[in-house]
Amino acid sequence: MDALILNHKSLYALIVVVVLFCASGASCPKKSQLVNDNAPVLLSLQPSLEDIIRVVNANSTQVQKVQSTGATLTVPGPGIPALEATYAFERPNRFRLRAETRLAGPELDLGSNDEAYWMWVKRSDERAVYWGRHEQFYQSATKEIVPVPPNWLIEALGVVEIDPTGEHEGPFPARPGHLQIRSRIHTPSGELTKITVVDASRGWVVEQHLFDTANQPLASALASGFQYDASNSVSLPRNVEIRLPPADLVFTLKTERHLINQVVGDDRQLWAMPQIDGYPYVDLGNPNALQPNQAQAGVMPNPYSSQSIPRNAAIRRLPPFDRLR
């Protein structure tokens, strides 16, 4: 059973992603790219910045929703088993990632709907369903740990749009067969730098890296194993490695197949915040939204009705990393 005890530090850091969802600089992915001969060549030998933006955006605008089949989630570390995973998303904000082991059952639930995001890890020392409002992300306790908003996970999984009116430089040669674009992105917490690396012929986004104003790495997504769906004229990666240096987290999602522009199941359940016995809601803007005795009594009030309190108080409710290893 010890092999089934997940790395608490990594899994807890994962729950504050979505919130959600390489060391420094734009390094090469370790995995080789899957060359899919069915994917069309879309860029000329010397494409302009405008050409690259057009091709990347044309691929993403064809995708409104995606559901995985046969996915696994892996966190590096000795004795940590791969988790069987399912995920789905519907742009712009709906996202759901659930993972489990065959013996121990559900282990992880990350999600986002139009109003809020949530995170649940079964083996966290702090038994809670953490959640927050989208509009409060940059003022929440989540932002103190992982400074990327929840919908960044949708971009990390390959649905990337580059603002044609944004501040961009390039393209620059990155390595053989790849080009790099540097972008400045304005957020409520300051200006970020984004490095995007694309396949020079097919326009696949193979790397994304975010840096803060001090040029410190915030988040990276390394994509490989691209699969072309001719019926939708879309390419999506089957392997995505996500690195979040501030949270000391690396994890990989591998997907056998994508269902593009279709989601199987009841939308009302898929995008709903879960109610899990024994795990009270903890608002990352208001950690006192639900008292422990309410959870034990099975009382699950509407989390959207709580009021915000200073974010430092919310941070104090989060389990310290040294207890989660």
Side-chain angles (χ1 to χ4, degrees):
M1 288 298 292
D2 288 345
L4 295 176
I5 304 301
L6 304 181
N7 182 311
H8 289 303
K9 178 179 179 181
S10 295
L11 281 180
Y12 180 73
L14 177 57
I15 72 172
V16 292
V17 144
V18 266
V19 216
L20 340 228
F21 160 157
C22 44
S24 63
S27 61
C28 299
K30 295 181 180 179
K31 301 181 180 65
S32 60
Q33 295 293 323
L34 171 68
V35 177
N36 188 329
D37 291 335
N38 295 324
V41 173
L42 300 172
L43 294 171
S44 62
L45 291 178
Q46 294 183 320
S48 66
L49 175 62
E50 291 74 18
D51 292 334
I52 295 173
I53 292 175
R54 174 181 52 79
V55 168
V56 170
N57 289 352
N59 183 79
S60 295
T61 54
Q62 301 298 317
V63 182
Q64 296 305 313
K65 59 180 75 173
V66 168
Q67 189 167 45
S68 70
T69 61
T72 59
L73 185 151
T74 304
V75 178
I80 303 176
L83 299 177
E84 297 180 1
T86 60
Y87 66 84
F89 62 81
E90 182 176 344
R91 302 169 68 196
N93 289 319
R94 295 179 176 181
F95 180 87
R96 192 74 176 269
L97 168 64
R98 289 175 280 196
E100 63 182 25
T101 61
R102 292 187 178 182
L103 293 179
E107 295 284 354
L108 176 72
D109 190 326
L110 307 179
S112 172
N113 56 34
D114 295 336
E115 293 82 26
Y117 57 85
W118 64 88
M119 334 123 209
W120 170 78
V121 172
K122 179 180 181 180
R123 299 177 187 272
S124 172
D125 289 347
E126 294 287 332
R127 296 169 64 88
V129 177
Y130 292 95
W131 73 281
R133 299 178 180 86
H134 290 300
E135 67 269 19
Q136 294 180 346
F137 172 78
Y138 286 100
Q139 293 79 40
S140 72
T142 308
K143 170 64 175 58
E144 299 295 327
I145 303 172
V146 181
V148 288
N151 57 11
W152 181 80
L153 279 177
I154 296 177
E155 291 189 48
L157 292 173
V159 183
V160 183
E161 288 200 47
I162 303 174
D163 183 0
T165 65
E167 302 176 52
H168 310 293
E169 298 176 355
F172 308 107
R175 57 183 183 273
H178 295 83
L179 297 169
Q180 180 187 107
I181 297 172
R182 294 176 178 266
S183 307
R184 286 184 291 276
I185 301 174
H186 300 279
T187 74
S189 62
E191 183 179 279
L192 305 181
T193 298
K194 181 178 183 181
I195 294 178
T196 305
V197 179
V198 301
D199 180 277
S201 61
R202 294 178 171 88
W204 296 335
V205 176
V206 299
E207 296 183 40
Q208 300 176 72
H209 305 276
L210 281 173
F211 300 87
D212 65 16
T213 54
N215 203 35
Q216 295 300 305
L218 300 178
S220 294
L222 310 180
S224 62
F226 282 80
Q227 185 175 47
Y228 180 66
D229 184 315
S231 61
N232 290 285
S233 300
V234 167
S235 290
L236 288 177
R238 293 192 292 184
N239 304 321
V240 177
E241 181 177 301
I242 294 177
R243 302 178 180 180
L244 296 163
D248 191 22
L249 170 68
V250 177
F251 68 94
T252 301
L253 271 175
K254 296 185 178 181
T255 308
E256 289 185 7
R257 183 168 170 261
H258 300 96
L259 300 178
I260 298 176
N261 292 331
Q262 55 180 308
V263 171
V264 179
D266 185 345
D267 277 8
R268 292 172 297 180
Q269 295 184 5
L270 183 58
W271 312 126
M273 191 183 305
Q275 295 185 2
I276 302 173
D277 290 342
Y279 290 82
Y281 289 121
V282 173
D283 182 348
L284 291 170
N286 179 4
N288 297 317
L290 179 64
Q291 299 299 326
N293 61 343
Q294 290 179 293
Q296 294 169 2
V299 179
M300 304 299 287
N302 179 2
Y304 305 118
S305 64
S306 59
Q307 297 177 351
S308 295
I309 65 172
R311 60 184 177 183
N312 289 339
I315 295 170
R316 287 195 294 271
R317 278 293 300 274
L318 299 178
F321 280 166
D322 58 4
R323 291 175 54 200
L324 297 170
R325 182 175 286 281

